[in-house]
Amino acid sequence: MKDNPIPVTYAGDERIELQNCYVFRDGLAHRAQVSIASAVSYTDDPHLFHISITVPGSKKMTLDLGIPFPEAMRLTRHVAMWDRFIRDYELFKQEVVMEVFQRPIADLMEISWKEEEVASVRKLVTNDEMQDLVKSDLLSIGQASLEGNSNE
């Protein structure tokens, strides 16, 4: 069944431009210009959170999305949870890096790992899913470094 389009009015005088956003398509990330404003439609939920997405130079990757405000408010809870998870992840990762390398390292992909450092991460005892993820990610980075070192 095909829905009939419903008229919409872009009501927001204030438009928020978001930085460093992407459109994902076919496994590739394309830089996107994203802005947020409010809109009013004649739908069941007339007040919308209007997200405008454009990829410069592409007409196919242009989209205006209207999310009803009650649904947009649900997002805030998840964003807060994800933000906390990311902060905990980064903090634990920094602790492990300090323990393994005895110094902070900004970009773990730029350094050459030694087998002893990978073994130290492998021995790491974790307490929860987030710590498991950090361990797994560090092991992947370390293993890739070792493989790169052996190819040189």
Side-chain angles (χ1 to χ4, degrees):
M1 183 171 127
K2 187 174 180 181
D3 286 335
N4 292 327
I6 299 169
V8 64
T9 303
Y10 301 108
D13 290 337
E14 184 177 339
R15 186 171 212 81
I16 300 167
E17 302 288 331
L18 302 179
Q19 303 299 314
N20 303 319
C21 296
Y22 296 89
V23 167
F24 301 132
R25 184 172 182 160
D26 300 327
L28 299 172
H30 303 268
R31 278 218 180 263
Q33 296 172 338
V34 178
S35 63
I36 300 171
S38 62
V40 177
S41 70
Y42 297 101
T43 61
D44 293 337
D45 292 302
H47 298 285
L48 302 172
F49 191 71
H50 171 222
I51 302 173
S52 175
I53 304 166
T54 59
V55 173
S58 174
K59 290 183 181 179
K60 284 184 175 182
M61 291 192 277
T62 297
L63 176 70
D64 282 284
L65 177 65
I67 302 173
F69 273 109
E71 292 300 306
M73 293 307 294
R74 285 183 48 207
L75 292 173
T76 59
R77 182 176 66 108
H78 291 286
V79 167
M81 287 180 351
W82 293 333
D83 182 59
R84 171 106 189 235
F85 181 87
I86 290 169
R87 288 175 193 259
D88 291 347
Y89 174 96
E90 288 298 323
L91 184 63
F92 184 68
K93 184 174 82 172
Q94 289 172 10
E95 289 173 13
V96 173
V97 167
M98 282 296 293
E99 185 177 317
V100 171
F101 293 97
Q102 304 301 310
R103 63 187 169 96
I105 298 173
D107 188 352
L108 293 166
M109 302 290 281
E110 292 293 320
I111 64 166
S112 292
W113 287 58
K114 298 178 188 133
E115 183 59 49
E116 303 83 41
E117 294 159 342
V118 174
S120 292
V121 173
R122 201 174 282 121
K123 292 178 190 172
L124 181 67
V125 176
T126 59
N127 298 320
D128 58 31
E129 192 174 316
M130 181 274 303
Q131 292 180 357
D132 290 340
L133 184 59
V134 169
K135 180 178 179 178
S136 174
D137 290 347
L138 290 176
L139 285 173
S140 295
I141 293 168
Q143 201 60 47
S145 177
L146 289 176
E147 290 169 10
N149 293 341
S150 67
N151 292 334
E152 293 176 354

